[in-house]
Amino acid sequence: MFTQAIAVGLGLALAGCATVGTGEGVLQPGYPETRRIDHVDQYFGEDVADPYRWMENLGTAELDAWIDAQNEFSAGFVQQLPDYDRIRARLDALWRTERLTTPLVHGGRFFFEYNDGTATLSRLMMTDGLAGEWRVLLDPATLSEDGTTMLARWNVSRDARHIAWAATVGGSDWTSWRVRNVESGEDLPEVLEGTKSTSAAWRRDNTGFYYARYPQNAAGEWDDRQQAEVWFHALGTPQAEDVHVFSVTDHPTRTPFPQMSSDGRHLVLSVYENNRSNGIYLLPLDVPGAGVIRLVDSWDGVSSYLGTVGGTVYVHTNIGAPKGRVVAIDIADPEPADWRDVVPESELPIEDASVVGETIVVHYLEDAKSRVDLFALDGGSRETLALPGIGKVSGFTGSPASSETFFAFESFSNPGTVFHFRPDTGAVTSFHQKSTALDTDTLATKQVFFAGKDGTRVPMFIVHRKGIELDGANPTMLYGYGGFGVSMLPGWDLRLLGWLDLGGVLAIANLRGGGEYGADWHVAGTRERKQNVFDDFIAAAEWLIAEGWTAPEKLAIYGRSNGGLLVGAVELQRPELFAAAGPAVGVLDMLRYHTPSANARAWLGDYGLAEIESDYRAQRAYSPVHNVQPGTCYPATIIHTGKFDDRVVPWHSYKFAAAMQAAQGCDKPVLLRTETRAGHAAGGAKPRHMLIDEFAELYAFFAWALDM
């Protein structure tokens, strides 16, 4: 049982008195002063100190002053490095790479986001045909002066006359929804608040949409520690007049999110408990007062709705099939025993699937590489779609009512080719080839396999310049994630590939915890098995060293979010193996990660909960904040976070930085960089200049630490 005990006394201490080298023999002053408190939590008879608990009180004058002092200290170090200005200028040039999302088809029109590589943020675009002129529907850069009000998501009405669009400010996950008239470009007067993660599920009559929002607490604030509820919003009306549609009343932590069925007869409710189990309910819209139909309600796997044909619903699920299958479910008789396999489980895991017209499109993975097979609705007529090479595909959004769709193909050397696809005829037409400033002709990609600590065969991609010598002297950045069933496929990511332009080697390990080999591969890196992920990452580093790719003094590790946890844990467990580490927006206090929101608590499928003794024992053994050992020489470390990150709250990074600075046993720096106008996400969810700043700092720091 979990209990809490708080001791009195608020002693002051310096978080580290060591001096920091600049690479040129000049010593900097010690780290900013950090207050420690005598706070102790008790877990199952064990006392666990939390001297930086005060940092969880975000927004205080004391914490803001500490953040500013850390930023001033770290900026004074990183931005004075000899290569910083040159690297930033080069990344600014490399970022002149086009970005284009896979178009969605609505009412015969195509909608997508596009950035020519120079704009602050991607714009929402529309065209009336494959060769039609592209028109700007919404430019998020006009919403704020500094580009920190961003387009988070958008959904088009069935008649393509209106777009519901959600904006987020300063990197927060909280969104505000508006509705824009496609023809006029004008927004309707209403604004919808209290939302995170939800889509807008348009009614088939286009009069409004369903969405999920959080309740308000006693102070009138939207409260994401409670369960979200589904509401209906009619166009042109204030949010106060929205109609409550559905709440989960039989479980305290399950949360529903709406989607419209392809035929418009049902509201599809995807009800989530955690990342490893969900339910799918149908709410009939043509029958007033009808109750929900519990289409998928076993809570022993993850399922996604694909489409409805008559009285049959098509679902992609891993229930009873760890590598995935597509089943047909009779709405009138949804018992699992009566589900019909349309695409049975095979040796290849299914990454995702969709129904487009009379075709089931199945995206398989072959050793972490994309393959696409096409099936008839009855599962017959299987054929493989020809792809341009080895890489990653995405897209194929559609429904049984669709006759066309789009997909994108990308690789480590191709920023992306977007194709138009008609499954009924098999016609594939190039829609747009993205351009890049990175010289991809000189790049080579190699896939290797190494043995994990327990002998498990683990794949890894290595990207490098052609003609490299395996002399053990190559500056190498090892990247990983290893969680939530997320597969690391060989796709374009300029945040990582920019490292190659500096002459470095990039290695991406496909760790357990991901989805590369199905649900079993994911589960093997969760809860009491989480150490498998760290062991796989360590084994990847050891393999790179043993095979002559690099050496410990030339090896840096990097990861974001769950990958930030990975990097933080591994640099503590094997500090001698790495020269530098970059845990970004990481989950670093495993005993309290679940406390800020219902969304964070839902990560229990991967992490477990400290209230459960078996989970606590596993977490305590690797939690980065709780495993820093004073006097140990840790790798040079740069910790990036966002002040307004409300997904992985920034106090994870604050606590870890304070603990590392206090414990560091040598003159390798531990730096904290907090972006004060950003949140969790990177990629297109940050303005261009912030992305360039962050990765210029990361690369300059790594280049210095690896003596490139």
Side-chain angles (χ1 to χ4, degrees), residues 244-289:
H244 177 265
V245 176
F246 179 78
S247 298
V248 175
T249 59
D250 59 351
H251 195 280
T253 59
R254 292 174 183 167
T255 297
F257 291 96
Q259 178 183 358
M260 188 56 60
S261 68
S262 57
D263 60 3
R265 294 188 300 118
H266 295 94
L267 184 65
V268 181
L269 299 165
S270 295
V271 183
Y272 289 94
E273 181 170 6
N274 58 62
N275 55 294
R276 285 169 50 190
S277 63
N278 73 309
I280 299 178
Y281 302 165
L282 303 181
L283 179 63
L285 299 177
D286 297 335
V287 183

Coordinates of all heavy atoms in Angstrom, one line a residue, residues 244-289:
H244 N -24.9 16.9 -24.4 CA -24.1 15.8 -23.9 C -24.6 14.5 -24.5 O -25.9 14.3 -24.7 CB -24.3 15.7 -22.4 CG -23.6 14.5 -21.8 ND1 -24.3 13.3 -21.5 CD2 -22.3 14.2 -21.4 CE1 -23.4 12.4 -21.0 NE2 -22.2 13.0 -20.9
V245 N -23.7 13.7 -25.0 CA -24.1 12.5 -25.7 C -23.7 11.2 -25.0 O -24.5 10.2 -24.9 CB -23.4 12.5 -27.1 CG1 -23.6 11.2 -27.9 CG2 -23.8 13.7 -27.9
F246 N -22.5 11.1 -24.4 CA -22.0 9.9 -23.8 C -21.0 10.1 -22.8 O -20.1 11.0 -23.0 CB -21.5 8.9 -24.9 CG -21.0 7.6 -24.4 CD1 -21.9 6.6 -24.1 CD2 -19.6 7.4 -24.2 CE1 -21.4 5.4 -23.6 CE2 -19.2 6.2 -23.7 CZ -20.1 5.2 -23.4
S247 N -21.0 9.4 -21.7 CA -20.0 9.3 -20.7 C -19.8 7.8 -20.3 O -20.8 7.0 -20.4 CB -20.4 10.1 -19.4 OG -20.5 11.4 -19.7
V248 N -18.6 7.5 -19.9 CA -18.3 6.1 -19.4 C -18.8 6.2 -17.9 O -18.2 7.0 -17.1 CB -16.9 5.7 -19.5 CG1 -16.6 4.4 -18.8 CG2 -16.5 5.7 -21.0
T249 N -19.7 5.4 -17.5 CA -20.2 5.4 -16.1 C -19.9 4.1 -15.4 O -20.2 4.0 -14.2 CB -21.7 5.6 -16.1 OG1 -22.4 4.6 -16.9 CG2 -22.1 7.0 -16.7
D250 N -19.4 3.1 -16.1 CA -19.1 1.8 -15.4 C -17.7 1.5 -15.2 O -17.3 0.4 -14.8 CB -19.7 0.7 -16.3 CG -19.2 0.6 -17.7 OD1 -18.4 1.5 -18.1 OD2 -19.5 -0.4 -18.4
H251 N -16.8 2.6 -15.3 CA -15.4 2.4 -15.1 C -14.8 3.7 -14.8 O -15.0 4.7 -15.5 CB -14.7 1.7 -16.3 CG -13.3 1.2 -16.0 ND1 -12.2 2.0 -15.9 CD2 -12.9 -0.1 -15.7 CE1 -11.2 1.3 -15.6 NE2 -11.5 0.0 -15.5
P252 N -13.9 3.8 -13.8 CA -13.4 5.1 -13.3 C -12.3 5.8 -14.2 O -12.1 7.0 -14.0 CB -12.9 4.8 -11.9 CG -12.5 3.4 -12.0 CD -13.5 2.7 -12.9
T253 N -11.7 5.0 -15.1 CA -10.6 5.6 -15.8 C -10.7 5.5 -17.3 O -9.8 6.0 -18.1 CB -9.2 5.0 -15.4 OG1 -9.3 3.6 -15.6 CG2 -9.0 5.3 -13.9
R254 N -11.7 4.9 -17.8 CA -11.9 4.8 -19.3 C -12.4 6.0 -19.9 O -13.3 6.7 -19.4 CB -12.7 3.6 -19.6 CG -12.1 2.2 -19.3 CD -13.0 1.1 -19.5 NE -12.3 -0.2 -19.1 CZ -13.0 -1.3 -18.9 NH1 -14.3 -1.4 -19.1 NH2 -12.3 -2.4 -18.5
T255 N -11.9 6.4 -21.1 CA -12.2 7.7 -21.7 C -12.6 7.4 -23.2 O -11.9 6.8 -23.9 CB -11.0 8.6 -21.7 OG1 -10.7 8.9 -20.3 CG2 -11.3 9.9 -22.4
P256 N -13.8 8.0 -23.6 CA -14.3 7.8 -25.0 C -13.8 8.9 -25.9 O -13.8 10.1 -25.5 CB -15.8 7.8 -24.8 CG -16.0 8.8 -23.7 CD -14.8 8.7 -22.8
F257 N -13.5 8.6 -27.2 CA -13.3 9.5 -28.2 C -14.1 9.2 -29.4 O -14.2 8.0 -29.8 CB -11.8 9.6 -28.6 CG -10.9 10.2 -27.5 CD1 -10.3 9.3 -26.6 CD2 -10.8 11.5 -27.4 CE1 -9.5 9.9 -25.6 CE2 -10.0 12.1 -26.3 CZ -9.4 11.2 -25.5
P258 N -14.8 10.2 -30.1 CA -15.7 9.9 -31.1 C -15.2 9.8 -32.5 O -14.2 10.4 -32.9 CB -16.7 11.0 -31.0 CG -15.8 12.2 -30.6 CD -14.8 11.6 -29.7
Q259 N -15.8 9.0 -33.4 CA -15.5 8.9 -34.8 C -16.9 8.6 -35.5 O -17.7 7.9 -34.9 CB -14.5 7.8 -35.0 CG -14.1 7.5 -36.4 CD -13.2 6.3 -36.5 OE1 -12.8 5.7 -35.5 NE2 -12.8 5.9 -37.7
M260 N -17.1 9.1 -36.7 CA -18.3 8.8 -37.3 C -18.2 7.5 -38.2 O -17.1 7.3 -38.8 CB -18.7 10.0 -38.2 CG -20.1 9.8 -38.9 SD -21.4 9.6 -37.7 CE -21.3 11.1 -36.7
S261 N -19.2 6.7 -38.2 CA -19.1 5.5 -39.0 C -19.1 5.9 -40.5 O -19.6 7.0 -40.8 CB -20.3 4.5 -38.7 OG -21.5 5.1 -39.1
S262 N -18.6 5.0 -41.3 CA -18.5 5.4 -42.7 C -19.9 5.6 -43.4 O -20.0 6.4 -44.3 CB -17.7 4.3 -43.5 OG -18.4 3.0 -43.3
D263 N -20.9 5.0 -42.9 CA -22.2 5.2 -43.4 C -23.0 6.2 -42.7 O -24.2 6.5 -43.1 CB -23.0 3.8 -43.5 CG -23.2 3.2 -42.1 OD1 -22.8 3.9 -41.1 OD2 -23.8 2.1 -42.0
G264 N -22.5 6.8 -41.6 CA -23.2 7.9 -40.9 C -24.3 7.4 -40.0 O -24.9 8.3 -39.4
R265 N -24.5 6.1 -39.9 CA -25.6 5.6 -39.0 C -25.2 5.5 -37.6 O -26.1 5.5 -36.7 CB -26.1 4.3 -39.6 CG -26.7 4.4 -40.9 CD -27.4 3.0 -41.3 NE -26.4 1.9 -41.4 CZ -26.5 0.9 -40.6 NH1 -27.5 0.7 -39.7 NH2 -25.6 -0.1 -40.8
H266 N -24.0 5.4 -37.3 CA -23.5 5.2 -35.9 C -22.4 6.2 -35.5 O -21.6 6.5 -36.4 CB -23.0 3.8 -35.7 CG -24.0 2.7 -35.8 ND1 -24.2 2.0 -37.0 CD2 -24.9 2.2 -34.9 CE1 -25.2 1.1 -36.9 NE2 -25.6 1.2 -35.6
L267 N -22.4 6.6 -34.3 CA -21.3 7.3 -33.7 C -20.4 6.2 -33.2 O -20.8 5.4 -32.3 CB -21.7 8.3 -32.6 CG -20.5 9.1 -32.0 CD1 -19.9 10.0 -33.0 CD2 -21.0 9.9 -30.8
V268 N -19.2 6.1 -33.6 CA -18.2 5.1 -33.2 C -17.5 5.7 -32.0 O -16.8 6.7 -32.1 CB -17.2 4.7 -34.3 CG1 -16.2 3.6 -33.8 CG2 -18.0 4.2 -35.5
L269 N -17.5 5.0 -30.9 CA -16.9 5.5 -29.6 C -15.7 4.5 -29.3 O -15.9 3.4 -29.0 CB -17.8 5.5 -28.5 CG -19.1 6.4 -28.6 CD1 -20.1 6.0 -27.6 CD2 -18.6 7.8 -28.5
S270 N -14.5 5.1 -29.5 CA -13.3 4.3 -29.1 C -13.0 4.7 -27.7 O -12.7 5.8 -27.4 CB -12.1 4.7 -30.0 OG -12.3 4.3 -31.4
V271 N -13.1 3.7 -26.8 CA -13.0 3.9 -25.4 C -11.7 3.3 -24.9 O -11.4 2.1 -25.1 CB -14.2 3.2 -24.6 CG1 -14.1 3.5 -23.1 CG2 -15.5 3.7 -25.2
Y272 N -10.8 4.2 -24.4 CA -9.5 3.8 -24.0 C -9.3 3.7 -22.5 O -9.7 4.5 -21.7 CB -8.5 4.8 -24.6 CG -8.4 4.8 -26.1 CD1 -9.2 5.6 -26.9 CD2 -7.5 3.9 -26.7 CE1 -9.1 5.6 -28.2 CE2 -7.5 3.8 -28.1 CZ -8.2 4.7 -28.8 OH -8.2 4.6 -30.2
E273 N -8.6 2.6 -22.1 CA -8.2 2.4 -20.7 C -6.8 2.7 -20.6 O -6.3 3.4 -19.7 CB -8.6 1.0 -20.2 CG -8.2 0.8 -18.8 CD -8.8 -0.5 -18.3 OE1 -9.4 -1.3 -19.0 OE2 -8.7 -0.7 -17.0
N274 N -6.0 2.1 -21.5 CA -4.6 2.4 -21.5 C -4.1 2.0 -22.9 O -4.9 1.7 -23.8 CB -3.8 1.6 -20.5 CG -4.0 0.1 -20.6 OD1 -3.6 -0.5 -21.6 ND2 -4.6 -0.5 -19.6
N275 N -2.8 2.1 -23.2 CA -2.3 1.9 -24.5 C -2.3 0.5 -25.0 O -2.0 0.2 -26.1 CB -0.9 2.4 -24.6 CG 0.0 1.8 -23.6 OD1 -0.1 2.0 -22.4 ND2 1.0 1.1 -24.0
R276 N -2.7 -0.5 -24.1 CA -2.7 -1.9 -24.5 C -4.1 -2.5 -24.5 O -4.3 -3.7 -24.8 CB -1.9 -2.7 -23.5 CG -0.4 -2.5 -23.8 CD 0.5 -3.1 -22.7 NE 0.2 -4.4 -22.4 CZ 0.7 -5.1 -21.3 NH1 1.5 -4.4 -20.5 NH2 0.3 -6.3 -21.1
S277 N -5.2 -1.7 -24.3 CA -6.5 -2.2 -24.3 C -7.5 -1.1 -24.6 O -7.4 0.0 -24.1 CB -6.9 -2.9 -23.0 OG -6.9 -2.1 -21.9
N278 N -8.5 -1.4 -25.4 CA -9.6 -0.4 -25.6 C -10.9 -1.1 -26.0 O -10.8 -2.4 -26.3 CB -9.2 0.6 -26.7 CG -9.2 0.0 -28.1 OD1 -8.6 -1.1 -28.3 ND2 -9.9 0.6 -29.0
G279 N -11.9 -0.4 -26.0 CA -13.2 -1.0 -26.5 C -13.7 -0.1 -27.7 O -13.3 1.0 -27.9
I280 N -14.7 -0.7 -28.4 CA -15.3 0.0 -29.5 C -16.8 -0.1 -29.3 O -17.3 -1.3 -29.3 CB -14.9 -0.5 -30.9 CG1 -13.4 -0.3 -31.1 CG2 -15.7 0.3 -32.0 CD1 -12.9 -0.8 -32.5
Y281 N -17.5 1.0 -29.1 CA -19.0 1.0 -29.0 C -19.6 1.7 -30.2 O -19.0 2.6 -30.7 CB -19.4 1.7 -27.7 CG -18.8 1.1 -26.4 CD1 -18.9 1.9 -25.2 CD2 -18.2 -0.1 -26.3 CE1 -18.4 1.4 -24.0 CE2 -17.7 -0.6 -25.2 CZ -17.8 0.1 -24.0 OH -17.3 -0.4 -22.8
L282 N -20.8 1.3 -30.5 CA -21.6 2.0 -31.5 C -22.8 2.6 -30.9 O -23.5 2.0 -30.2 CB -22.0 1.1 -32.6 CG -20.9 0.3 -33.4 CD1 -21.5 -0.6 -34.5 CD2 -19.9 1.2 -34.0
L283 N -23.0 3.9 -31.2 CA -24.3 4.6 -30.7 C -25.1 4.9 -31.9 O -24.8 5.7 -32.8 CB -23.9 5.9 -30.0 CG -25.1 6.7 -29.5 CD1 -25.9 5.9 -28.4 CD2 -24.6 8.0 -28.9
P284 N -26.3 4.2 -32.1 CA -27.2 4.4 -33.2 C -27.7 5.8 -33.2 O -28.1 6.4 -32.2 CB -28.3 3.4 -33.0 CG -27.7 2.4 -32.1 CD -26.8 3.1 -31.2
L285 N -27.6 6.5 -34.4 CA -28.0 7.9 -34.5 C -29.4 8.1 -35.0 O -30.0 9.1 -34.9 CB -27.0 8.7 -35.3 CG -25.6 8.7 -34.8 CD1 -24.6 9.5 -35.7 CD2 -25.5 9.4 -33.4
D286 N -29.9 7.0 -35.6 CA -31.2 7.1 -36.2 C -32.3 6.6 -35.3 O -33.5 6.6 -35.7 CB -31.3 6.2 -37.5 CG -30.3 6.8 -38.6 OD1 -30.0 8.0 -38.5 OD2 -29.9 6.0 -39.4
V287 N -32.0 6.2 -34.1 CA -32.9 5.6 -33.1 C -32.8 6.5 -31.9 O -31.9 6.3 -31.1 CB -32.6 4.2 -32.8 CG1 -33.7 3.6 -31.9 CG2 -32.6 3.3 -34.1
P288 N -33.7 7.4 -31.7 CA -33.7 8.3 -30.5 C -33.7 7.5 -29.2 O -34.5 6.5 -29.1 CB -35.0 9.1 -30.6 CG -35.3 9.2 -32.1 CD -34.9 7.8 -32.6
G289 N -32.8 7.8 -28.3 CA -32.8 7.1 -27.0 C -32.1 5.8 -27.0 O -32.1 5.1 -26.0

